[in-house]
Structures are given as C-alpha cells and as structure tokens.
Amino acid sequence: MASSAAWLTSLALFLLAFPCAMAKKTYIVQMKEQSIPGSFSTSWDWYSANLQSLASGASDLLYVYSDAFHGYAASLEPDQAEALRSSDAVLGVYEDVMYHLHTTRTPSFLKVEDEFGLWPGTGNHSKKADQPFHEVIIGLLDTGVWPEAKSFDDLGLPEVPTRWKGHCVSGPDFSPSLCNKKLIGAYYFAKGYIKALDGNMTEVQTPRDHEGHGTHTSSTAAGSPVANANLLGHARGVAQGMAPHARVASYKVCWEQGCMDSDILAAMDQAIRDGVDVISLSLGGADGSYYETSIAIGAFSAMEKGIFVSASAGNEGPQLGTLSNGAPWIMTVGASTLDRKFPAYALLGNKMRFTGESLYGGHGMGNKLVGLVYNAGNASRPSNLCMPGTLDPRVVRGKVVLCDRGENARVEKGEVVRDAGGVGMILVNTAENGGEELLADPHRIPTAHIGAKAGNVIRQYARTDRNPTALVTTGTQAFNVRPTPVVAAFSSRGPYFQSMQILKPDVIGPGVNILAAWPDNLTTTESNILKRTATFNIISGTSMSCPHISGVAALLKAAHPDWSTSAIKSALMTTAYVHDNTRKPITDSATGGPSSPFAHGAGHIDPRKALSPGLVYDLTADDYIAFVCSLNYTVQQVQRVVRRTNVTCSTKLSNPGQLNYPSFSVVFGPNKTVVRYAREVTNVGDAGSVYRVAVQAPSTVAVRVRPTRLVFGKVGEKQRYSVTFVARNKTDTALGGSITWRNRQHRVRSPVAFLWAQQ
C-alpha cells in the first residue's frame, strides 16, 4: 500500500500550501473501499490520519460511514475539499446540504384493521401454518419520538427479535429505560447540524421529539391501538398504525431548522447496521443527480440488503416537476384525502351557503349573521392575506373576516382575525394556492376553509354587496365522503427530471387531516401563537402519507419474507386503484378535474389486493446498476451511486425506461415518435395461470403489446413482453393510460404516462 501512503503525504503538502482564511464547511467524502492502506486497521483510523495530515485535525471528523456509504463527513475548508476531489482514492466530495420535513380513520379506510390476519393472535387466514413468521422493524428518520405516548405501549408484544442489533441512547431528557418491546431503538444525529449553525445549537441533543413530526409519523406507521383517541373531540375512535405489531426504531435527524445530509446519511448507516426491515423518510429536498444525493446513495445500499425504503414526494404541488426522492429503488409517496371530513359552513346574506372544513370546537357565533369584511386594513399594507399587523380593529371588530390563503400559516390568520376583534373567519384558497384542497385546522374562532371556486364567489359578494353579511358554523364529523380519494393540491408532482423515463410518484396514500400521536407538551398547530396541547394531533402532508405506505410495506414483508423490495413495491403499485368511491377517475384538488399519472402515480394503494398481486415486476441490484449506467454518467459517477468501484458499465440499458419497472413513462420528442420498452413479470399467484392484456391509451398514441397472452405453468416462472408506443399527434398536455394483465383472480395494472419533451 505504498501508493496510498504516498497519496497521504503529497496531499498533505499540497493542502498546506493553501492559505487557511476561508471558513470551514461540512463535506461528505466518498472513498474507494479497497484503498484503505494496510497500516490502518479501521476506516476510522485512516480517515483520522488523513485529516491530521491536512492540518485540519481529527476532531473535525464528524462521522465515518460503512453500511450506507463508504467514507466520512468532516469539517473542511473549500480548498481542502477541492484537493480531495482530485485524489485517486476519493470517489466524490459533496457539500453538506439541509433537507426539510414534508409535513383513526386510515386503518379502516385502507381495510387493514386486522393486519390481514398476518400476526399471531389476529385470526391468521393468509399464511400457511408452516410458513415462518417474520417480525418486522420499521426505522423512521425524523424529529425523534415521544416514548410516553400510548401509541408506543408494548402490551402483548413478544420479546425483541434477537437479530436486532440496535439500542437506545441517552439524552438529558431521555433514558434508555423508556424504550420497550415496541420502541426498540432511539438515536439522535446532530453533528452536521451543529456545524451548519457554527456551533450555536441551542436545542437539547436527545432522541426525544420536541417538534411532534416524528412521533406522528412513527405512530402512523406502527402505533399500538389507543382507544378514544381524538383532537379536541374530533376524529374520536381507536387510533392505530398500519402495522401495530411491528417494532419502531427512531433515528432523530431533523431539528428546528432542518435536517442535514451528513446526519441523515449517518442515521441510514446506523439503521442498516441495526437490522431494520423498512426505512421511512418523511423529508427531502435539494435533489440533484443520483451520484450527489446522499439519500439516493444510502437507499441503494439499503435496497441491496433487502431493506424497503419509502420516502415522501414533497409538498411543493401542484406544479409539475417538484418531486423529491425519485430514485427508482425508493418508493416515492404522494398524498391524498380520506373518506372523512370535518365540515364547516359559510352562510352569506344573499342566502348562498358554502361547505368547507375546520376543527373549531368552541361555542360558535350563534345563528345571527354579522358584517363580512375583506381587505380590512389600510391602503398602504394589503390585508387580504390577514398577515400580522395588517387588519384594522376598527373595521374588523364584531365581524367575519374573509382571508386569502398564502404566505403565513392558516391558523395564524385566525389568530390575527381574533386579535383584531373578529368573531369568525372564512379562509379561501386561490387557484394558485390550494385550488379546491380543504384542510382542517384547530382554530380558536369559528372558521370555514373554502375552495378557490367558491372563494371567487364570496370575494365578489364581499366587494359588490352594499351590506355584506355572513355566518360561520361547524358541523359534526362526516364519513363516506364523496368523492374520495382526491389528490392533495400540495402533493408534489412528477416528472422527476433526473430520470423522466421512470414515472414518479409511485403511489398516493392518506396524507390529509391525519390523526396520530403527539407530544403532550407541544402546541398542536404550526403556529406557536396558539398554545393548545393534546396527546393526538391532526396534520397534513406527504410526511403523513409516507408512513402509511411504510407500515403497509411492513405487513407485506411479514406476509412474504422471501419477496425482494422491488416485488413489494410492484405489488403495491400494480394493485393500486385510480377510480374514487363514485367510480370516476381520481380527481386533483388543485383543479377539480381528473388527476394525471404525474400526480397519482400508479394510483391509491389497496393493501389487501397487494397481499396477492398475481404477478410482480422484480429487480436486482444489477438491474438498477444497468439503469444508472444508462443515465449518461461517467463510470466514476456511477460508482458513487452504487458503491462498487469495479463497475465498468459494460452492461447498461439502451434507455432508462427499459428498467423492469411496474409503470411506464413514455417521453416523445421532435425526432422521437416511437418508443419501445420490454418488461418481465414473475408469477407469484397460482400455477397454471393465464393472463390476457388490456390496453388503455389516449387517441394521440397507438400502443401495441406482444404477446397479448401470458401463460405460467408454475409459481416463480417468468415471462417477457414488449410494448411499442407510437405518437400520432403532439400535445402539450401530460396524458395517461395503462397496460393491464388480467385473469379471473387478478388485475395487474401498470400505469403509463405520456410526455412530449421540448427538445
């Protein structure tokens, strides 16, 4: 290893020649694993010596990664980082970036109240008596956990699986003894965050959740049943997670200002080492090429070890191309509504009545209409958004205030109205902000959140009537709401520009007005103005939809421990549905019209059907490597993604869309009007199965599938088919269709998205 020693010496001399005036930043350094010199017994020793030689000091070494990544995170000056990039032993150097959170009814809505009968004592009808039972562990990377929440009670759970290698760490307000047979792991990772704040972190370094987000997502995925759960009397019932018999491991990576790349990677490294079965990430942002996105790299390592990774798509909708976490080895999850709402009503003086939503639970306004005001401030400062300090109490006092959604928190608007003397609020969306999406918030004054179309009518009335009046009232919780599900306006949309030939998001799941556990010392709103606490909270976001899918994936893992992560993903995607409970195509709350595949992916998950999908689209790590090789990356960039320095890309796909994925994204261009893809399906249903194809496509595209009939003699048998897509006419609209293989028992549906590129 003389060459490695020479590298250290020459690099040290080179770096010492640089002036050291520039401020240090945290960098993630990816190393070639086989380059460790023989004189060092561990990677930590080598990296420490490396930093010492840079005149930087071993104390600047924050993390050493081994399972999710080969390398380390360290505090370096920019010139030192640049020098590392030129080293033969270094695959890549990335500046640490900050990510952000994507922030009782769902078990019955998804029909998983009995967990499919998969767990001991739940009436097992789905598993053969001699089939091994697989205990499932879900690792959640979030804001930590509130261990005292009843959702983490371990009553009736067997002992912790012996394969579990993790533990619970101490904090100033957290004892390892707080963990139990439900909450089996609790960590915190803050070294990168502390460096990002120049050492000025004032938060308590602890696994305990002081934000609420992590407790909410953890209990959604795997919370134990809790009777009489509610928020201020709303959504009362038994609350439980998707997989209430699964174990929870909490990895705190997010703090008040965000979540650092280096900390996330350290947590993924730990989770893989601990032995989790599922990793759930309700966070994201700053997506770049796969080779410079640590979540994508860490998730690839997890996939290789059989760990299912699900992640939220983001809350940047409804604009196209806003999606995060779009690597094909990650299940990317969008958000949709439930069949439950919390109705509120706005009655106008002209007898018009509009239905919205609200979690207001007070005494109300009575039954008398009062004055309605809009833009109730002064001309020098617009007041339509009801920002702090913009409302004139002389105009507002005793009246209902009409407020536009946007800029500040929805609950804060209500507090601004209340502080100015208003007795009620009508919160209305705009076409650009929310569309027809309705969110229920715990306001302290009677409030009705109204969609954009009705909002336009109410604005017109407030502007033109000589004496506009209104009354805001609230109703009781309603079930079996129609239509349901509806894609949430905030849910981020594809295409995912790193690989437009892969349709993203993969699926949608419940993410609007979700009830789950909450720290009992925290306010229940995003605004600290409202000091109201509870043990459960109702919040919305793709952060909420992601753990639903994580929990359901855990159930499938328990039912089919021999399935690969791609088989589980395929089962969830090909059995998803795209029609609501009125039997019409799922709508988009941003527009009120049908949603596109770039909004709903394969559709809304159907856990019971996913248990027996009939056919699956399976993938191996080598398949994903061939996909990465098709992205016009250099060989070294590919090696950075897949952590294999012997990869040469001698085998690669002719087109990224040739990946054996359960969906299709067909990108036409000015000189590309014909696209051909091939797929392979594996029979996980009955022996002697015959499937016939059914194609749905817009009139602007011709689709031909060969063969049109697939015959499977035995379980595990594989069959291939090809699809040719021909563009007949160009359109600027993203369109959808499907290719479905069906027999009497199964419908194996693959969505197809059509897109016309500009160049």
Side-chain angles (χ1 to χ4, degrees), residues 250-398:
S250 173
Y251 300 84
K252 183 173 181 175
V253 297
C254 296
W255 306 83
E256 285 183 3
Q257 297 186 38
C259 332
M260 297 306 298
D261 226 357
S262 56
D263 296 330
I264 295 169
L265 194 55
M268 296 183 79
D269 204 59
Q270 185 68 53
I272 293 171
R273 191 158 53 249
D274 287 345
V276 303
D277 298 288
V278 176
I279 291 177
S280 187
L281 295 150
S282 288
L283 52 88
D287 279 32
S289 299
Y290 293 130
Y291 59 82
E292 56 188 5
T293 305
S294 62
I295 288 178
I297 297 171
F300 191 97
S301 299
M303 172 274 300
E304 284 190 291
K305 294 174 173 63
I307 301 170
F308 185 92
V309 180
S310 61
S312 50
N315 300 334
E316 304 303 319
Q319 291 77 19
L320 292 175
T322 53
L323 182 137
S324 295
N325 302 317
W329 46 90
I330 295 174
M331 176 148 247
T332 313
V333 184
S336 57
T337 63
L338 284 173
D339 64 341
R340 174 185 67 191
K341 67 178 181 180
F342 307 96
Y345 308 98
L347 175 64
L348 305 184
N350 62 3
K351 307 296 185 182
M352 297 188 74
R353 186 172 182 262
F354 301 92
T355 301
E357 290 203 43
S358 176
L359 288 176
Y360 172 75
H363 296 296
M365 288 179 55
N367 56 13
K368 183 179 179 181
L369 282 82
V370 301
L372 173 67
V373 293
Y374 181 54
N375 266 331
N378 55 65
S380 63
R381 193 171 185 189
S383 58
N384 63 301
L385 292 171
C386 299
M387 301 281 284
T390 63
L391 298 183
D392 187 343
R394 295 171 297 180
V395 179
V396 169
R397 189 171 293 112

Side-chain angles (χ1 to χ4, degrees), residues 647-662:
V647 169
T648 61
C649 285
S650 57
T651 300
K652 67 178 182 180
L653 304 178
S654 59
N655 180 303
Q658 290 285 13
L659 183 68
N660 196 44
Y661 212 65

Side-chain angles (χ1 to χ4, degrees), residues 334-482:
S336 57
T337 63
L338 284 173
D339 64 341
R340 174 185 67 191
K341 67 178 181 180
F342 307 96
Y345 308 98
L347 175 64
L348 305 184
N350 62 3
K351 307 296 185 182
M352 297 188 74
R353 186 172 182 262
F354 301 92
T355 301
E357 290 203 43
S358 176
L359 288 176
Y360 172 75
H363 296 296
M365 288 179 55
N367 56 13
K368 183 179 179 181
L369 282 82
V370 301
L372 173 67
V373 293
Y374 181 54
N375 266 331
N378 55 65
S380 63
R381 193 171 185 189
S383 58
N384 63 301
L385 292 171
C386 299
M387 301 281 284
T390 63
L391 298 183
D392 187 343
R394 295 171 297 180
V395 179
V396 169
R397 189 171 293 112
K399 295 182 174 65
V400 170
V401 181
L402 181 62
C403 300
D404 290 337
R405 183 177 173 183
E407 296 296 329
N408 59 331
R410 298 182 301 276
V411 168
E412 184 180 66
K413 295 177 188 292
E415 292 302 296
V416 171
V417 172
R418 182 177 182 270
D419 291 345
V423 296
M425 177 175 70
I426 302 175
L427 174 62
V428 294
N429 294 341
T430 64
E432 298 76 23
N433 201 330
E436 300 309 308
E437 169 186 82
L438 302 181
L439 301 173
D441 297 305
H443 296 278
R444 284 203 294 175
I445 60 172
T447 297
H449 183 187
I450 305 293
K453 293 177 182 177
N456 290 334
V457 176
I458 300 172
R459 286 190 199 91
Q460 181 67 12
Y461 168 72
R463 290 188 182 112
T464 59
D465 194 276
R466 300 179 68 178
N467 182 32
T469 57
L471 173 66
V472 176
T473 60
T474 54
T476 58
Q477 179 176 319
F479 295 107
N480 299 318
V481 174
R482 296 174 181 271

